[in-house]
Amino acid sequence: MYFKRIEDLRIDHDLTQQEIADQLGLHREVYRRYEKGTRTIPIDCLMRLADHYHTSTDYLLGRTNILKPYKKG
């Protein structure tokens, strides 16, 4: 499910695949495959995306529908 969530968040933030790929230090094609679900996203990229979008990895993975991240403590 993460691939749909990361695509939706990117679109909601008016960003291109290239902009997110650049932020993650990836080629656009690699990031595109994450969004299409044809390549598994590494945990470190998932964590950076959660930080970028100010959400939790649980939200990105579809384990919760709560967009707001947990309080760090």
Side-chain angles (χ1 to χ4, degrees), residues 48-64:
R48 288 189 287 173
L49 285 172
D51 289 344
H52 176 78
Y53 292 122
H54 305 287
T55 192
S56 68
T57 54
D58 278 351
Y59 176 78
L60 294 179
L61 293 170
R63 296 185 71 202
T64 183

Side-chain angles (χ1 to χ4, degrees), residues 25-41:
L26 305 169
H27 292 284
R28 187 195 64 80
E29 181 61 22
V30 172
Y31 180 76
R32 185 190 72 76
R33 290 178 183 172
Y34 295 158
E35 279 193 6
K36 297 304 172 196
T38 60
R39 185 171 182 164
T40 303
I41 189 168

Side-chain angles (χ1 to χ4, degrees), residues 10 16-23 26-29 31:
R10 178 183 57 78
T16 66
Q17 287 181 340
Q18 187 63 59
E19 289 170 321
I20 295 297
D22 289 346
Q23 182 153 352
L26 305 169
H27 292 284
R28 187 195 64 80
E29 181 61 22
Y31 180 76

Side-chain angles (χ1 to χ4, degrees), residues 3-17 19-20 31 35-36 52-53:
F3 50 90
K4 182 66 175 143
R5 292 254 166 122
I6 64 174
E7 180 181 29
D8 289 346
L9 283 168
R10 178 183 57 78
I11 291 168
D12 289 347
H13 286 82
D14 295 320
L15 298 168
T16 66
Q17 287 181 340
E19 289 170 321
I20 295 297
Y31 180 76
E35 279 193 6
K36 297 304 172 196
H52 176 78
Y53 292 122

